[in-house]
Amino acid sequence: MKRTIFLLVLACMFGTMSAQITNISSDKRQFDADSVIEEFDKLPFFGPFKDTYFTVGLPLNEKPNEYNSDVKFQISFRQRLTKSILPFHSHLFLSYTQKAMWNIFEESLPFHDLNFNPGIGLQKLFVHKGRAVGSAILMLEHESNGRDGEASRSWNKVSLSGRALIDPQFIVHAKTWIPIIDGQNNKDILKYCGIFQGGAQFLSTNGRWVADVTFVKRKGWNLNFNTTLNVGFRIRQRDNQFIMLHFYDGYGENLLDYNKYHCRLRIGLLIRPSFFSEF
């Protein structure tokens, strides 16, 4: 319990670091590509990667009770290892994301599942007319739930993702991966967690509202998707903390139950990067 609170406090501390990155894309002054990359390299090496959030909610497809209503939270950060000195002005980084499903309504408050997702990646920033307009990431990722026996889940993947800033209020993103499945109990994970995803993120003109949607295509030729929808309201104009409504529909919400259908609505606190959050 104390460790969980400490990690959430730590996430709040670094959550505002990424606000500085917004200036790279929104500054109206014109720079050449080298100048933009130089400014990017001056930013802190440690900061947020994916969204960090803490939410509580209940199922929509069955009657809520103490066993199917829970807390879901995620902590995600990364550490750049180099400046943009690698080929094509790319840089190397390490990332770590941890997601938890916590049954706080049960008597002993047990964690239902913990998912660990470390990775190492190579990122390239794209610049057009003196402004950062997108990025691409090639990553080697591992994901597991740290359990043994029949509850063990594990897989690895080589992923390629990209995001493009269409305008200051609209970002589109996509990701695909080559799976390396080593978990004996989740050989069919692609049937439920798919091989590619896509989505978009919207920001209101006043910067107070943010919404994003992500669709993960499950294996097969039919239109079967895992859908994540987030809507957030910025608590204060100058920080990165939002009140968030979080909706999930599909399979693979956590590794232990990767092959079980979930439809859940949650509300909570969101801390998000200001620029090119990873999805």
Side-chain angles (χ1 to χ4, degrees), residues 108-162:
S108 60
L109 281 71
F111 280 92
H112 178 69
D113 200 30
L114 293 172
N115 298 166
F116 308 95
N117 180 207
I120 182 169
L122 192 67
Q123 183 174 27
K124 160 69 177 175
L125 190 70
F126 294 103
V127 180
H128 179 66
K129 294 183 178 180
R131 297 175 63 189
V133 296
S135 71
I137 296 177
L138 178 66
M139 285 195 71
L140 175 61
E141 302 180 59
H142 170 78
E143 189 175 15
S144 64
N145 65 351
R147 302 174 72 168
D148 58 9
E150 294 184 358
S152 174
R153 307 284 187 268
S154 176
W155 68 321
N156 307 286
K157 53 188 173 183
V158 178
S159 63
L160 178 64
S161 62

Side-chain angles (χ1 to χ4, degrees), residues 57-120:
L58 44 79
L60 299 181
N61 62 317
E62 56 185 333
K63 184 179 180 179
N65 57 51
E66 65 269 31
Y67 301 106
N68 58 25
S69 302
D70 61 8
V71 159
K72 176 183 178 182
F73 68 85
Q74 176 173 284
I75 298 167
S76 183
F77 55 86
R78 74 175 191 166
Q79 171 70 33
R80 273 194 294 149
L81 301 178
T82 70
K83 293 187 176 181
S84 303
I85 57 175
L86 300 179
F88 308 105
H89 292 294
S90 61
H91 65 268
L92 192 68
F93 68 92
L94 294 173
S95 70
Y96 178 78
T97 300
Q98 181 172 317
K99 181 169 61 177
M101 316 299 292
W102 188 8
N103 291 352
I104 65 168
F105 299 105
E106 292 186 37
E107 184 176 352
S108 60
L109 281 71
F111 280 92
H112 178 69
D113 200 30
L114 293 172
N115 298 166
F116 308 95
N117 180 207
I120 182 169

